[in-house]
Amino acid sequence: MNDRYQWYFEPIDKEIFVNEIGHETIENYRKVGPRIRDSYILHFVYSGKGNYNGEKILSNTGFLICPNAPHYFEVKDNSNYEHFWIGFKGEKVKMLFEQSGIELKNQILKFVDTASLYKKLNILFEEYPQSKSKPMLLMSMLYLFFAHVEKKVTLKRTSLSNQEEYVRGAVKYMEENYFDKISMEDVATFVKISEKYMCKLFKQIIGTTPQAHLKWIRLKKAEALLIDTHLPINEIATSVGYENTVDFSQMFRKQKGITPSQFRKNYK
């Protein structure tokens, strides 16, 4: 049996907000990544075994994923793996980490009073679909996660290699310039490596090409604009780095299977 409950949310507060929550039980082997995410993701592993960036994951531990930091995790076969996770962003996220005594880096974490945390999370997940105060409920989940992380004591930490730093820098450049007409040469120049070497690192660490990742960034930005604004399709196209609507629409349909207009209609 593989139960999966997952919700995604649009930003409601620039200071700090939850953009994703999820719960899942996994019985068979699975590997996720290598990949990168554009937000912080905090996992609580209630049961089972696996590894995160090569380090062991055990029951009542968890791991932190930082934005634009390459990572992967594996779940061992027949380990009755069960975990909750929460994704979040915002201008005051760093302050939250400072107050909690947790370093801002990909790492494995230990949780305390896990039986209580597990019980509370189950209750909150059951309440969420019918809740009339969803934003407040989401924030209560976030603080609940942080309240149960063992302070100032972490298990083995994973550090970024020089190669991963190059990829992280390239991704950051794409995130900050996706709306401009940028080339892969521009990106490689920014991180001070050759374009050929950058392509090799992306394939090794993320499993895709720099061009494909930039396209993915633009797609996600376009999805948000289609859902949250009433901008015409042509303005959205130029806002995410496409010179004309035809190229944008072709990319969107190839990735999503529907046109931008159909995608917008499904959310209205």
Side-chain angles (χ1 to χ4, degrees):
M1 183 177 182
N2 186 336
D3 298 319
R4 183 179 179 91
Y5 304 95
Q6 186 167 2
W7 294 275
Y8 295 95
F9 318 97
E10 293 304 316
I12 57 173
D13 187 335
K14 288 185 177 181
E15 291 189 347
I16 187 166
F17 60 89
V18 173
N19 65 330
E20 174 186 343
I21 59 171
H23 168 250
E24 186 175 22
T25 57
I26 305 172
E27 295 183 353
N28 300 316
Y29 172 83
R30 182 189 297 176
K31 181 177 179 181
V32 179
R35 64 178 184 179
I36 60 175
R37 300 295 301 273
D38 62 355
S39 59
Y40 295 92
I41 313 288
L42 186 57
H43 285 252
F44 162 52
V45 180
Y46 180 66
S47 63
K49 297 179 181 180
N51 70 70
Y52 173 55
N53 287 357
E55 303 288 351
K56 288 184 179 180
I57 301 171
L58 301 173
S59 301
N60 301 326
T61 65
F63 52 95
L64 172 66
I65 299 170
C66 292
N68 302 324
H71 65 275
Y72 73 90
F73 69 91
E74 293 179 286
V75 175
K76 299 297 183 182
D77 197 14
N78 299 318
S79 68
N80 296 316
Y81 188 92
E82 182 177 7
H83 68 157
F84 293 85
W85 69 91
I86 189 163
F88 50 99
K89 295 181 177 182
E91 297 169 355
K92 291 191 175 181
V93 166
K94 291 184 179 181
M95 183 182 298
L96 178 60
F97 277 95
E98 289 174 0
Q99 293 172 345
S100 303
I102 304 172
E103 290 186 73
L104 271 169
K105 60 168 65 177
N106 281 8
Q107 60 179 296
I108 296 177
L109 299 164
K110 185 174 182 181
F111 285 80
V112 296
D113 196 11
T114 53
S116 173
L117 174 59
Y118 181 74
K119 181 178 179 180
K120 290 174 182 177
L121 285 173
N122 273 308
I123 292 172
L124 290 173
F125 268 74
E126 289 176 2
E127 289 181 355
Y128 179 78
Q130 292 79 35
S131 174
K132 294 182 180 180
S133 302
K134 287 183 170 63
M136 296 185 69
L137 187 63
L138 291 172
M139 291 306 297
S140 70
M141 288 186 187
L142 178 61
Y143 288 113
L144 182 62
F145 269 85
F146 272 87
H148 285 263
V149 173
E150 187 172 273
K151 306 301 183 294
K152 297 183 180 179
V153 179
T154 62
L155 302 180
K156 296 179 181 178
R157 299 186 181 115
T158 57
S159 59
L160 295 178
S161 66
N162 289 337
Q163 290 83 2
E164 290 171 326
E165 288 284 8
Y166 287 136
V167 172
R168 187 171 185 174
V171 169
K172 185 175 185 293
Y173 182 84
M174 293 178 187
E175 287 278 1
E176 294 176 350
N177 297 277
Y178 67 89
F179 46 83
D180 282 335
K181 186 180 179 181
I182 59 175
S183 67
M184 293 305 102
E185 183 180 358
D186 294 330
V187 181
T189 299
F190 176 78
V191 294
K192 299 180 181 179
I193 57 176
S194 71
E195 184 178 343
K196 182 178 180 180
Y197 185 48
M198 180 180 71
C199 291
K200 179 181 178 180
L201 293 181
F202 263 76
K203 290 292 289 184
Q204 288 179 345
I205 295 173
I206 301 181
T208 189
T209 64
Q211 295 91 333
H213 188 73
L214 176 60
K215 187 178 294 184
W216 178 82
I217 291 172
R218 287 170 166 164
L219 175 68
K220 293 303 174 184
K221 301 297 183 181
E223 287 178 357
L225 290 174
L226 287 165
I227 294 171
D228 296 336
T229 75
H230 296 286
L231 288 172
I233 302 300
N234 66 312
E235 291 186 19
I236 291 177
T238 55
S239 296
V240 298
Y242 286 86
E243 293 185 337
N244 62 74
T245 308
V246 174
D247 289 345
F248 169 68
S249 297
Q250 287 178 345
M251 177 280 298
F252 197 95
R253 185 162 193 165
K254 184 176 181 180
Q255 297 295 319
K256 303 295 293 185
I258 57 176
T259 66
S261 297
Q262 290 171 326
F263 178 85
R264 170 176 273 171
K265 185 178 179 180
N266 289 344
Y267 280 87
K268 299 300 183 183

